[in-house]
C-alpha cells in the first residue's frame, strides 16, 4: 500500500521551497490488488499535487509509476507535451537508461560517467534512439527487465 502521508509531507516540504528544481516522483505500486487500486492511488497522488498549495510542485513534476512485477512504466505530468500524451513509446530502452534520461529531465548535463543513454527525446518526442540493442544482464540472479513506457 502506498504511504500517502509520507508523500504529502515530502510534497509540502518541496512546495515550501520556492527555489525548488524539477521534481521527480518514482512510485512503485507492486502490492496493489488490481488496476483499479493502482488507478485510485494515482488519482489520490495527482489530486494532492493539484491543490493550490502544491500546484507549483505539480507544474514542475514528472510522475513515473512502475512495477517490478510487470515490464512497463507510465510517465505523466504537465511537463509532457499534450500531443505526446496517450501514446506508447516504441523506444527500445533498458533500466540503465533511466538515470541519464531523468537527469536530462531535471536539467543536469554532466552525465559522462553514467552508464546508459539519455532517451528523453526518443521516449517523449519519438526521436531516433541511440540504443540499438538491450544488454542481457543478470544482477543477483534476477534478470534486468526492459520496460515499455506509456506516456499519459
Amino acid at each position: 500500500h502506498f504511504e500517502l502521508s509520507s508523500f504529502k509531507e515530502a510534497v509540502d516540504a518541496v512546495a515550501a521551497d520556492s527555489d525548488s528544481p524539477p521534481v521527480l516522483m518514482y512510485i512503485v505500486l507492486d502490492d496493489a490488488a488490481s488496476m483499479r487500486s493502482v488507478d485510485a492511488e494515482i488519482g489520490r497522488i495527482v489530486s494532492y499535487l493539484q491543490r493550490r498549495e502544491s500546484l507549483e510542485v505539480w507544474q514542475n513534476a514528472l510522475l513515473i509509476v512502475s512495477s517490478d512485477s510487470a515490464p512497463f512504466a507510465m510517465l505523466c505530468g504537465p511537463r509532457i507535451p499534450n500531443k505526446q500524451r496517450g501514446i506508447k513509446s516504441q523506444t527500445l530502452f533498458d533500466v540503465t537508461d533511466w538515470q541519464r534520461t531523468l537527469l536530462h529531465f531535471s536539467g543536469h548535463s554532466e552525465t559522462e560517467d553514467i552508464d546508459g543513454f539519455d532517451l528523453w527525446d526518443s521516449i517523449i518526442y519519438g526521436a531516433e534512439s541511440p540504443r540499438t540493442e538491450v544488454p542481457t544482464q543478470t544482477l543477483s540472479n534476477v534478470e534486468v527487465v526492459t520496460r515499455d513506457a506509456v506516456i499519459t
Side-chain angles (χ1 to χ4, degrees), residues 17-37:
D17 180 4
S18 61
D19 294 328
S20 175
V23 177
L24 167 67
M25 288 165 253
Y26 187 83
I27 298 167
V28 178
L29 296 173
D30 275 334
D31 60 348
S34 68
M35 281 309 288
R36 274 197 181 136
S37 61

Side-chain angles (χ1 to χ4, degrees), residues 2 4 7 25 27 40-49 63:
F2 179 72
L4 189 62
F7 173 78
M25 288 165 253
I27 298 167
E41 293 290 350
I42 294 169
R44 289 173 49 198
I45 292 165
V46 172
S47 292
Y48 191 79
L49 287 167
L63 177 64

Side-chain angles (χ1 to χ4, degrees), residues 75 91-105 108-124 127-137 146:
L75 288 68
T91 301
L92 182 64
F93 72 100
D94 180 68
V95 68
T96 60
D97 300 324
W98 275 120
Q99 188 173 14
R100 275 186 183 240
T101 301
L102 297 175
L103 284 169
H104 171 111
F105 166 78
H108 291 85
S109 58
E110 300 296 322
T111 60
E112 297 158 5
D113 297 330
I114 299 173
D115 290 337
F117 294 99
D118 172 2
L119 299 179
W120 180 261
D121 289 343
S122 301
I123 293 169
I124 301 300
E128 187 173 337
S129 173
R131 178 166 294 289
T132 58
E133 63 184 16
V134 176
T136 303
Q137 302 176 24
T146 301

Side-chain angles (χ1 to χ4, degrees), residues 129-151:
S129 173
R131 178 166 294 289
T132 58
E133 63 184 16
V134 176
T136 303
Q137 302 176 24
T138 303
L139 300 176
S140 303
N141 297 323
V142 177
E143 187 174 330
V144 175
V145 177
T146 301
R147 301 178 182 275
D148 289 328
V150 178
I151 300 137

